[in-house]
Structure formats: structure tokens, C-alpha cells
Amino acid sequence: HVQLVESGGGSVQVGGSLRLSCAASGYTYRTYCMGWFRQAPGKEHEGVAAIDSDGNTRYADSVKGRFTISQDNAKNTVSLQMNSLKPEDTAQYSCAAINGDCYVRHLGQAWASGDVYKYWGQGTQVTVS
């Protein structure tokens, strides 16, 4: 049974930084992909970043240059380092995973579709003001 548990959310001032972590348990697949999504009230669910088991990454244009996704295979953890935070980054952030390809190496935005992912965490709130 796969479980994803996020941590690291909170409130921060504009221009500040936060680091989100997603701890995966029951996940032993050799090929996998993990992503971060966010949703603010009244806005669409948005793919923020993704990383596959080979370390390939993709980012939403809105966070490029500010956010960095990374993984620690030994700890089964994926992190999202968020710098230069803006009020528009305020949202509920969720971790997602799929035991397979999430298309980070492909052209297009398929990686950012929630339909690609099978497992989801409960989410953690990030508030920037």
C-alpha cells in the first residue's frame, strides 16, 4: 500500500523560501515518477514540478528558476525547494506518484496532468504574504 506524506508547508513572507518534502512508503518500483501539484481557491489544479527515476525534471513556467525538485532515493523522499516566493504561490501543495512514466522526457505538458499520477498525498498549505 503506497502512502505519500507531505511536510514543510507554512506561512512565509514575499521573497522568502520554503522546502516541501514528500515521504513515500510502500513504494519499491524501479521506474517511477513523482510530482508536485498545487491548487488555490478558485483556480485550476496545476502541475508544479516532476522528477522521474532517472532524475529528469520538468517545471511549470510560473516556477522555473525559483523552484527545484529533487529526490533522495535512500530515503524515498522527494523535495521541492521554493525560493523567491510570491503571493500567487499561495496554494495547497500535494505530492503525487506513478509507478511508470509521467512523460517528463516528452514534449508537451502531459507530465503536469493529474490524470497521469496514481498515488496522492493529503497536501500541505503554503501561504505567501
Side-chain angles (χ1 to χ4, degrees):
H1 179 63
V2 175
Q3 282 192 312
L4 304 177
V5 179
E6 302 96 336
S7 62
S11 297
V12 65
Q13 292 185 335
V14 173
S17 298
L18 280 175
R19 186 177 182 88
L20 306 182
S21 292
C22 174
S25 60
Y27 203 81
T28 58
Y29 302 107
R30 182 171 299 177
T31 302
Y32 62 86
C33 185
M34 297 186 75
W36 284 97
F37 287 75
R38 67 185 181 185
Q39 187 162 26
K43 294 188 177 180
E44 291 186 357
H45 197 224
E46 178 186 20
V48 176
I51 186 167
D52 68 13
S53 46
D54 290 329
N56 298 294
T57 59
R58 292 287 296 272
Y59 296 92
D61 288 343
S62 58
V63 306
K64 280 181 182 177
R66 300 188 299 122
F67 290 12
T68 302
I69 189 170
S70 61
Q71 59 188 350
D72 184 334
N73 293 330
K75 297 181 180 180
N76 272 3
T77 300
V78 171
S79 298
L80 185 69
Q81 178 67 41
M82 306 185 295
N83 298 328
S84 303
L85 284 161
K86 305 175 181 180
E88 51 264 43
D89 294 319
T90 296
Q92 180 85 349
Y93 284 71
S94 298
C95 174
I98 177 69
N99 51 316
D101 192 3
C102 70
Y103 311 108
V104 291
R105 294 170 294 172
H106 297 243
L107 295 177
Q109 300 299 312
W111 68 270
S113 170
D115 293 338
V116 168
Y117 300 82
K118 181 176 181 180
Y119 307 105
W120 292 84
Q122 292 298 309
T124 184
Q125 179 67 32
V126 171
T127 302
V128 185
S129 60

